[in-house]
Amino acid sequence: MDCHNKSPEVQVGKDTLKFLLMGNPNVGKSVVFSKLTGVEVLAANYTGTTVGYTKGKIRNLKKEGILIDVPGTYGLEATSEAEEVAVSFVKEGADAIICVLDATNLERNLNFALQLKKFDIPMIFVLNLVDVAEQQGVIIDSEALAKELDAPVIPTVAVRNVGLRELITVMEKVGKRQKEVCYTAEKELVEEEETRWKEIGRIVEKVQTLVEREPSFTEKLGYVSMQPWPGIPLAILVLVLVLGFVVGGGKAIRGVLLLPFVYNVYEPAMTAFIGGFITEGTIFYNVLVGDYGVLIKIIEWPFALVLPYITLFYIALSILEDSGYLPRIGVLMDGALRKIGVQGGSIVPFIMGYGCAIPAILGSKAATTHKERVIVASLVSLAVPCTAQTAAFFVLLGDESIWMLVGVYGLSILAMIIGGSVLNRMLPGKVDPMLLEIPNLLKPDVKTVVQKIKIRVKHYLVEAQIPMALGILFAAIIAETGLIHGISDFLSPVVTGWLGLPGEAGLALMLGIVRRELAVLPLLDMNLTSLQIFTGATVALFYLPCLSVLAILIKEFKLKTGLAIAGTTLVAAFLIGGAINQTVRFISSIL
Amino acid sequence: MSLYAIKKEHRCIIENLPKIGLLKSLGLREGINVAIKSKQPMGGPVIVQVGRRCVAIAQDIAKDIQVREVN
Ligand SMILES: Nc1nc2c(ncn2[C@@H]2O[C@H](COP(=O)(O)OP(=O)(O)OP(=O)(O)O)[C@@H](O)[C@H]2O)c(=O)[nH]1
Ligand SMILES: [Mg+2]
């Protein structure tokens, strides 16, 4: 076998040192990476957070050096797309591998470490999570371990910067390698398994001391949360609390703080200001500050209506992610999820999808079969509203009646069940049975969580604003120039005839191509009936994923599958929305 | 007997397991002592404690793992 195939392209200067950051999943590699390079990558407490690789220049190192954050892997036989990335990196070689070990699970981590050592690349070991190990009564003698591994071992608490300076000191000593790495003896690895585990047993015996400890509160909670009783009621309670926090909190912030500001301060000020230059009533004036005025909507929609919900949702999601609770929900749901062709572990990309579909689709790389990946990506694109759209729903439906909100989310879940079952039957192949490590339940580190929320909110502010602004500008021009009437006439067989919406609602459909929440927000100012609101929301829910999601779908699954997924969502939107409208009208006509 | 047949909170020693690379990488191998920590309804997985960590194993796989009960 050629060991140099399939290597990802890495451009490195001639004298730049290349360090690979490797190890089992969920041991803290991404945290170490962010701290050493200052490059922000997301870390979370479950297997498969990092699915692609990130490169970063190492700060505070006297020489020129780059560090590569590699997805975690249990062994050198790749079992998912994410693990393939990792394996191809070792085969490409590096000047040194920084292998991160989880101090709470030394045995299994050494199994990977000893395999890595065979590649004959200089190694530096980072013994991370020593704080958690200590709480659990696990004491590891890092000096003895260094002797056994014949390489430096640095104990760290990565989230609190403990030990990172020592790590840099050791990294200074690494030199540029000339040798090519070529390791092909994969058969040998299998034969060696027996002896390797014996060796591991011997090392662990020597370096690890266990102290009897009463299980801590988090350990007990970790245990009960994966029992069907009381785990399932607990999961429902968590869901209700999160919803209450996001819906209630968002409504309060926008009602008390943001909307009064926009309507009472910003809008009058802006209108007066523009009025000073441009005569009221002209087209240009209306485009800027009229009904769909860009300068008004560009503040009202993304900041006053959507931002509070986005922030609160990511606060909740980030805490849940770092606690290690999500995989436990996956375990409880596995039996049910398997019926729609996904494993319990895939609950994580679904939950992420309620934030944004892009990380969800990328995260599905951790799935072990392509079939499962396609199912997850399709269902997320079809029926999981992102936070921005959810925020728009809360405003549109929540103000009408809470039951409409429940109805739309019920429809979303129903569509996932039906869609999943159909795809599961239709797509060839089968989905692997679940085999998933359950992480320790941890008290999330406040700084890490705050950092993560910042990254995500910033991402919304930067990435979403340009398409949003263009969309709003486009809407303003169409609406204010009267072009809207031509478009309404053109779309009216579908929009008015089939969906029962006013002609202007065509605007929502056009904007919805750009971003999901824009398929909802224009409906706000149209004085719709309850039925129209519900139909509009349903269409928006299933309607095309936004442009960026479409791009990711095509990139990850090729043009054909990407367009097939998008096309299906479009058809589903019109079919289901229209069916609801026609049925309700029919029933009320005979009553 | 199979791992799936073991009751909650009982321990057993693994005697034979299917050739799934990930099983071994997760630390499940012949001769080790594991404890069942929970069993999920609706054909869901069993949760097994291996060393200091819990692993969820699907029913299909658990049925293929041969064990000897110890208690
Ligand atoms: N208490 C504590 N938590 C840590 C420490 N290091 C990392 N964590 C947490 O452990 C979790 C896993 O960290 P990640 O950096 O995402 O792990 P990873 O190795 O990159 O995982 P994959 O990308 O899935 O392979 C996160 O929730 C971190 O906040 C530590 O030293 N102490
Ligand atoms: Mg990572």
Side-chain angles (χ1 to χ4, degrees), chain A residues 21-34 41-52 69-73 100 127-133 135 156-162 318-324 366 439-440 442-445 448-449 452:
Chain A
L21 196 51
M22 301 196 66
N24 278 175
N26 206 35
V27 296
K29 297 179 295 300
S30 295
V31 175
V32 172
F33 178 82
S34 299
V41 289
L42 290 180
N45 190 4
Y46 45 74
T47 299
T49 312
T50 308
V51 287
D69 185 26
V70 173
T73 162
V100 184
L127 185 65
N128 194 33
L129 290 142
V130 288
D131 57 332
V132 184
Q135 279 161 26
T156 61
V157 182
V159 282
R160 279 191 267 125
N161 292 323
V162 177
S318 303
I319 293 174
L320 283 178
E321 276 185 345
D322 274 20
S323 69
N440 288 317
L442 298 178
K443 197 165 121 277
D445 179 70
T448 321
V449 171
K452 204 148 83 163

Side-chain angles (χ1 to χ4, degrees), chain A residues 513-558:
Chain A
I513 300 173
V514 184
R515 286 190 54 85
R516 285 183 115 152
E517 69 271 38
L518 287 182
V520 184
L521 292 170
L523 303 176
L524 285 179
D525 307 320
M526 290 181 189
N527 294 320
L528 303 180
T529 64
S530 298
L531 173 61
Q532 286 175 325
I533 288 180
F534 194 77
T535 313
T538 307
V539 174
L541 170 70
F542 296 117
Y543 197 59
L544 291 174
C546 71
L547 273 185
S548 334
V549 172
L550 187 60
I552 290 286
L553 283 174
I554 291 172
K555 184 162 156 270
E556 295 292 317
F557 299 103
K558 307 272 157 53

Side-chain angles (χ1 to χ4, degrees), chain A residues 51 349-350 352-353 356-366 373 376-378 380-381 545 548-550 552-554 556-557 565:
Chain A
V51 287
F350 275 108
M352 279 160 71
C356 170
I358 294 171
I361 291 166
L362 292 176
S364 68
K365 270 191 189 162
R373 254 208 99 182
V376 172
S378 307
V380 168
S381 307
S548 334
V549 172
L550 187 60
I552 290 286
L553 283 174
I554 291 172
E556 295 292 317
F557 299 103
I565 295 176

Side-chain angles (χ1 to χ4, degrees), chain A residues 74-75 77 79 83 102 104-105 107-108 111 136 138 193-194 197 208 210 223 226-228 232 331-332 334-336 338-339 433-440, chain B residues 8-9 20-30 32 36-47 50-61:
Chain A
Y74 289 111
E77 313 156 26
T79 53
E83 290 198 349
D102 175 352
T104 65
N105 197 357
E107 273 205 356
R108 214 215 33 228
N111 180 40
Q136 296 180 356
V138 182
E193 246 195 274
E194 290 284 305
W197 281 112
Q208 177 174 288
L210 298 180
Y223 176 78
M226 56 194 184
Q227 308 302 328
I232 292 173
V331 167
L332 297 172
D334 180 66
R338 263 186 355 165
K339 311 227 158 36
M434 182 182 214
L435 199 49
L436 184 75
E437 176 178 11
I438 314 293
N440 288 317
Chain B
K8 192 178 142 187
E9 290 307 332
I20 300 174
L22 190 54
L23 267 181
K24 292 214 168 151
S25 303
L26 284 169
L28 286 132
R29 52 190 198 278
E30 275 124 49
I32 62 154
I36 302 290
K37 285 292 168 188
S38 120
K39 269 186 166 177
Q40 301 298 325
M42 289 176 76
V46 280
I47 294 177
V50 192
R52 314 191 42 79
R53 195 58 60 85
C54 286
V55 176
I57 303 177
Q59 186 184 21
D60 294 357
I61 303 178

